[in-house]
Amino acid sequence: MAAVQAVMAYAAIILSFIGAIHWGRLLAAPDTEPHPAAWLCWGVVPSLLGWGAVLLPHGLTLPVLLAGFVLVWAVDQRATTAGRLPAWYGRRRTSLTILVCIALAALIPLVGVTGTGARP
């Protein structure tokens, strides 16, 4: 179970990293975005999702992380389509999101999805 816990913690950290991409984008070119405050706020949302997920009972952590990765992917795809992020980034995010979602989903049977799993 320690390995599953480590993967869940790492997934939460990766969500934080993905959100920070928008902060970096705005820091690099602050005058190109008409609504920078909205994107800065959005950049914090993935880390809050990851943090909240690891505080949940184990049975809920993986589904919330999965949902978080899909949500963040969807926002990044819209940003890519709008030209806020490069096309290569959108393609890479799609590939990596598929892989991480498969990996997290594969762990669900080890933890269960009852929502009653207790933290060690």
Side-chain angles (χ1 to χ4, degrees):
M1 194 56 124
V4 174
Q5 178 74 23
V7 170
M8 291 188 294
Y10 184 66
I13 291 167
I14 293 302
L15 276 175
S16 294
F17 171 80
I18 295 169
I21 294 294
H22 295 282
W23 278 68
R25 177 177 66 82
L26 290 168
L27 288 171
D31 298 329
T32 61
E33 178 59 51
H35 306 288
W39 283 102
L40 291 174
C41 289
W42 165 252
V44 176
V45 170
S47 62
L48 294 174
L49 283 170
W51 177 50
V54 297
L55 295 175
L56 293 171
H58 277 160
L60 296 175
T61 299
L62 288 168
V64 170
L65 287 170
L66 275 162
F69 275 99
V70 171
L71 172 65
V72 173
W73 170 83
V75 171
D76 281 357
Q77 289 307 303
R78 292 190 83 181
T80 300
T81 301
R84 290 182 170 95
L85 294 167
W88 68 262
Y89 179 78
R91 289 189 302 273
R92 179 64 49 94
R93 283 280 290 118
T94 296
S95 301
L96 293 174
T97 299
I98 290 169
L99 289 173
V100 76
C101 287
I102 289 170
L104 293 174
L107 295 176
I108 290 175
L110 298 176
V111 177
V113 191
T114 62
T116 58
R119 294 266 169 213

